[in-house]
Amino acid sequence: MKIGILGAGIVGVNTALQVQNEFPNAQISVIAEGYGNETLSAGAAGIFRPGTSFSAGNDEVTQKWIVDSYNFYNQILHSENAFEAGVMQVSGYLFSSKSASITKNHFLEKLLPVYRAAASDELEICPPPEGSSSWKYGAYFQTMVIESGLFLPWALKIFQSRGGVTKQKRIEAFSDLLGDGYDYVINCTGFGSKWLCNDHKLVPIRGQVYKVKAPWVKMFYYGDYDTYIIPGSTTVTLGGCRQFDSYKTEVDVYDSASIWDRCTSLLPSLKRAEVVREWVGLRPYRDPVRCGDAEVVQQGSQRMTVLHQYGHGGYGVTTSPGSAIHVTKALKEIIRSGRVDNSHSTASIMIVSKI
């Protein structure tokens, strides 16, 4: 059996590991145009924190993805591989001057080892927003950061050590893979699926961040207006913005000024941080995430089944191990039954790319 994983970002790589675990005797390849730093995942801060609006189709499936993902990363965190894999424990604060609901997260409150309301003195740790004497609401919690710049090469090394193969190839249509002999392909191309699948429900949410050297920053901090400061092993990510349906991939000077002002106001010591680079990425957002549905691609006697898994928005790092388990279960069912059905799909509508 020959299986291809299309895409080498965090979703594709985690899916490759999961499929390999379930089908150790299969020939499995990761096929992608870009790897490592060429992927969208490489720019992500990587904090394990799903947005409360994230949806995998229904609440039960969504929570399962998040729990499965947490358990996957937590196992790495407590192993000898944590440093090389880029998985680290981190704690910090989320502040708001607008509403107490902003500081709550029903996905995490019963999952993380600590998730609690901030005490009154903790609300004074960071300078308050202009016109206020302190932050009105806050939460303290402990979670993880998964640095894709380290995790992706580590995971691919594991994948290759178990017999997996990586191929660099640009795909314009799923039919481009028909001549390679794949029985099954899992589509993890993120925003590329907008054109591969002609999926109008998949839209970009533009993000922009700074990567700075500030080794004294050991905790994360969130403020209003999508302001966040998230430490990694070598740099600290300062953000950000969420611009719905924006296709701009260039750094915007006005966003730069806003991010710098908001982050240095929240943590003034950052004013002396060295800027390493600025980065822009288009998060592939779909509500719900499309995961588990399949189609048959055929030309003449050549035939393969394509399963889809994309649309995680800004939460690919947080939820991809769980969605990988979901799509692998769908693959197992198709192989067992010998027919394509979409009972495992999280998509609200079926969008088939006719090739």
Side-chain angles (χ1 to χ4, degrees):
M1 185 167 60
K2 194 171 182 180
I3 303 172
I5 311 298
L6 192 53
I10 196 75
V11 177
V13 169
N14 273 326
T15 299
L17 291 178
Q18 181 62 29
V19 170
Q20 197 175 50
N21 285 339
E22 292 293 333
F23 302 98
N25 297 320
Q27 298 178 47
I28 304 172
S29 301
V30 172
I31 312 124
E33 182 181 10
Y35 285 83
N37 289 333
E38 296 176 316
T39 66
L40 175 76
S41 304
I47 191 167
F48 190 94
R49 178 182 173 260
T52 55
S53 63
F54 177 80
S55 174
N58 63 59
D59 291 346
E60 182 180 357
V61 173
T62 304
Q63 186 70 48
K64 186 177 189 316
W65 285 14
I66 292 168
V67 171
D68 287 346
S69 296
Y70 181 83
N71 291 338
F72 172 81
Y73 289 129
N74 195 46
Q75 186 175 17
I76 297 173
L77 176 68
H78 290 94
S79 76
E80 62 185 12
N81 299 313
F83 180 78
E84 185 182 358
V87 181
M88 56 183 276
Q89 191 171 54
V90 66
S91 59
Y93 292 94
L94 190 159
F95 299 118
S96 177
S97 61
K98 301 298 180 183
S99 171
S101 64
I102 294 173
T103 67
K104 299 182 182 298
N105 190 308
H106 60 286
F107 293 131
L108 297 181
E109 287 167 1
K110 294 182 180 179
L111 177 62
L112 299 182
V114 178
Y115 197 112
R116 60 168 174 79
S120 57
D121 58 336
E122 292 176 306
L123 295 176
E124 300 176 359
I125 288 174
C126 291
E130 187 175 350
S132 302
S133 58
S134 69
W135 293 96
K136 292 182 180 179
Y137 314 101
Y140 170 85
F141 57 99
Q142 296 175 1
T143 184
M144 291 175 280
V145 163
I146 301 95
E147 293 187 84
S148 293
L150 297 172
F151 181 84
L152 292 177
W154 172 80
L156 282 175
K157 185 172 74 172
I158 299 295
F159 172 73
Q160 291 170 321
S161 73
R162 297 172 179 170
V165 175
T166 58
K167 298 181 179 181
Q168 190 163 18
K169 184 175 182 178
R170 179 178 175 84
I171 302 300
E172 301 288 350
F174 296 123
S175 57
D176 293 348
L177 296 172
L178 278 172
D180 296 333
Y182 293 106
D183 300 294
Y184 305 95
V185 169
I186 302 179
N187 170 31
C188 306
T189 56
F191 196 56
S193 293
K194 185 169 185 65
W195 293 280
L196 274 175
C197 301
N198 192 30
D199 191 340
H200 302 296
K201 286 177 67 67
L202 183 62
V203 296
I205 299 181
R206 180 182 178 275
Q208 182 172 317
V209 298
Y210 281 97
K211 300 287 186 176
V212 304
K213 287 187 178 179
W216 60 89
V217 178
K218 304 298 185 184
M219 303 179 74
F220 64 81
Y221 301 90
Y222 283 86
D224 290 327
Y225 312 116
D226 205 34
T227 303
Y228 52 86
I229 299 162
I230 300 173
S233 60
T234 59
T235 61
V236 179
T237 302
L238 312 184
C241 59
R242 295 180 185 271
Q243 297 162 354
F244 188 85
D245 216 12
S246 171
Y247 289 77
K248 184 176 182 179
T249 56
E250 299 79 22
V251 170
D252 184 279
V253 295
Y254 299 103
D255 288 330
S256 298
S258 174
I259 292 167
W260 189 259
D261 180 65
R262 285 184 279 122
C263 288
T264 56
S265 295
L266 187 62
L267 198 64
S269 66
L270 287 171
K271 292 178 182 179
R272 67 177 191 271
E274 176 189 347
V275 175
V276 176
R277 66 183 176 121
E278 291 185 79
W279 179 86
V280 174
L282 303 182
R283 307 171 179 100
Y285 173 78
R286 192 181 192 280
D287 186 16
V289 178
R290 189 183 187 194
C291 184
D293 62 324
E295 59 178 292
V296 174
V297 177
Q298 188 166 4
Q299 274 185 351
S301 61
Q302 296 177 324
R303 171 190 172 99
M304 69 183 183
T305 300
V306 178
L307 292 87
H308 299 287
Q309 189 194 185
Y310 63 83
H312 298 67
Y315 305 111
V317 173
T318 296
T319 62
S320 58
S323 68
I325 292 172
H326 186 107
V327 78
T328 303
K329 182 179 179 181
L331 174 60
K332 288 175 67 177
E333 180 59 28
I334 289 172
I335 293 171
R336 183 197 66 79
S337 66
R339 62 186 178 86
V340 173
D341 70 62
N342 292 310
S343 60
H344 295 277
S345 173
T346 62
S348 58
I349 59 173
M350 176 66 174
I351 301 171
V352 176
S353 171
K354 296 190 184 210
I355 298 170

